[in-house]
Amino acid sequence: MPSRKALVRRPSPRLAEGLVTHVERTPVDPVRALEQWEGYVGALRAHGWETVEVEPADDCPDGVFVEDTVVMFRNVALICRSGAQSRRPEAAAVEEAVARLGCSVNRVREPGTLDGGDVLKAGDTMYVGRGGRTNAAGVAQVRAAFEPLGARVVAVPISRVLHLKSAVTALPDGTVVGYEPLVEASSLFPRFLPVPEEAGAHVVLLGGGRLLMAASAPKSADLFADLGYEPVVVDIGEFEKLEGCVTCLSVRLRDLRP
């Protein structure tokens, strides 16, 4: 049976200092953010996921966006080296966490840079966004780590969003969903479905046709429901102020060996 563990990390008290690149900075309420994070974690647990809390990184404002620190394929973890130098200290505790779970661990090496939010998996295909946080050497190291395991790595240019998964994610059948004004290369995806809201491009597959998504995309939720999926809606508004989305706040580990 596939594993259903999810790495999460509680927000830093310094969350409001988090980096922003493509949006105007607006005030973040740390108390409200913690409540929203607890609601997000509760939604994962309510749908059968065992959450594994990574050691807090209180000195790292962006540490809650744990997805950016590691890329998983099967039982192999590739520890990222962020293109934002200030975020690199976030990775050490995540490496310890995945090693404790029995993962084989590799690391992105200089001069490569890679943020996990730039990697979208759809089946055995790994789309890797080449943009501000992930460079060509980082893409090459994703290929080196995962193509021998059967992955197909496809580089995708991005410039309008922070990460590839800020623009696109994928439904259970492999269809890539995205908000068209932010998607630069939809032709790279065999099946592409435009959604009516930016936040509608972000879904986390919970299993059984359930899609975890943000409350800020009600029209997209209706679209997915019409397609036979079950939206599971959470409010992550404080994290959206920092270019965060539902994918950023966890790392789903589906293929751990018993």
Side-chain angles (χ1 to χ4, degrees), residues 6-93:
L7 299 182
V8 295
R9 178 188 257 155
R10 67 181 50 248
S12 163
R14 297 176 55 195
L15 176 69
E17 302 170 36
L19 300 174
V20 293
T21 56
H22 292 268
V23 300
E24 294 293 327
R25 184 175 295 279
T26 55
V28 173
D29 181 343
V31 174
R32 179 65 179 143
L34 180 58
E35 293 172 353
Q36 291 177 349
W37 180 82
E38 290 172 343
Y40 175 94
V41 171
L44 289 174
R45 292 174 178 160
H47 291 87
W49 290 81
E50 176 191 348
T51 56
V52 177
E53 192 165 335
V54 177
E55 182 179 344
D58 286 351
D59 290 333
C60 297
D62 290 296
V64 69
F65 301 123
V66 66
E67 176 186 53
D68 290 327
T69 59
V70 62
V71 174
M72 297 295 307
F73 185 78
R74 299 182 182 167
N75 201 51
V76 177
L78 179 62
I79 303 300
C80 298
R81 181 175 180 267
S82 180
Q85 189 166 351
S86 64
R87 296 199 60 189
R88 292 179 189 168
E90 299 171 23

Side-chain angles (χ1 to χ4, degrees), residues 161-185:
V161 289
L162 175 59
H163 291 126
L164 176 63
K165 288 170 77 173
S166 304
V168 293
T169 55
L171 297 176
D173 68 358
T175 298
V176 172
V177 296
Y179 182 58
E180 281 190 297
L182 300 180
V183 180
E184 298 169 56

Side-chain angles (χ1 to χ4, degrees), residues 5-241:
K5 296 181 187 293
L7 299 182
V8 295
R9 178 188 257 155
R10 67 181 50 248
S12 163
R14 297 176 55 195
L15 176 69
E17 302 170 36
L19 300 174
V20 293
T21 56
H22 292 268
V23 300
E24 294 293 327
R25 184 175 295 279
T26 55
V28 173
D29 181 343
V31 174
R32 179 65 179 143
L34 180 58
E35 293 172 353
Q36 291 177 349
W37 180 82
E38 290 172 343
Y40 175 94
V41 171
L44 289 174
R45 292 174 178 160
H47 291 87
W49 290 81
E50 176 191 348
T51 56
V52 177
E53 192 165 335
V54 177
E55 182 179 344
D58 286 351
D59 290 333
C60 297
D62 290 296
V64 69
F65 301 123
V66 66
E67 176 186 53
D68 290 327
T69 59
V70 62
V71 174
M72 297 295 307
F73 185 78
R74 299 182 182 167
N75 201 51
V76 177
L78 179 62
I79 303 300
C80 298
R81 181 175 180 267
S82 180
Q85 189 166 351
S86 64
R87 296 199 60 189
R88 292 179 189 168
E90 299 171 23
V94 174
E95 180 173 349
E96 293 173 4
V98 294
R100 284 196 301 270
L101 292 170
C103 299
S104 174
V105 177
N106 296 314
R107 301 178 192 86
V108 174
R109 307 289 186 180
E110 189 177 1
T113 62
L114 176 71
D115 269 14
D118 277 325
V119 181
L120 171 63
K121 289 178 285 184
D124 286 339
T125 299
M126 304 183 80
Y127 297 100
V128 185
R130 168 68 179 91
R133 296 284 181 85
T134 295
N135 64 15
V139 176
Q141 291 184 47
V142 174
R143 294 187 194 280
F146 297 127
E147 284 188 339
L149 304 178
R152 183 174 75 98
V153 176
V154 178
V156 181
I158 58 169
S159 63
R160 303 171 191 169
V161 289
L162 175 59
H163 291 126
L164 176 63
K165 288 170 77 173
S166 304
V168 293
T169 55
L171 297 176
D173 68 358
T175 298
V176 172
V177 296
Y179 182 58
E180 281 190 297
L182 300 180
V183 180
E184 298 169 56
S186 60
S187 62
L188 292 174
F189 310 119
R191 298 189 303 279
F192 177 76
L193 175 68
V195 296
E197 298 136 320
E198 182 176 347
H202 315 137
V203 298
V204 170
L205 310 186
L206 295 176
R210 296 184 296 274
L211 308 176
L212 185 65
M213 58 184 300
S216 54
K219 295 177 182 177
S220 301
D222 289 344
L223 171 62
F224 298 142
D226 286 344
L227 295 175
Y229 297 106
E230 179 186 342
V232 176
V233 176
V234 291
D235 181 5
I236 57 163
E238 297 305 306
F239 301 104
E240 290 174 324
K241 295 175 182 178

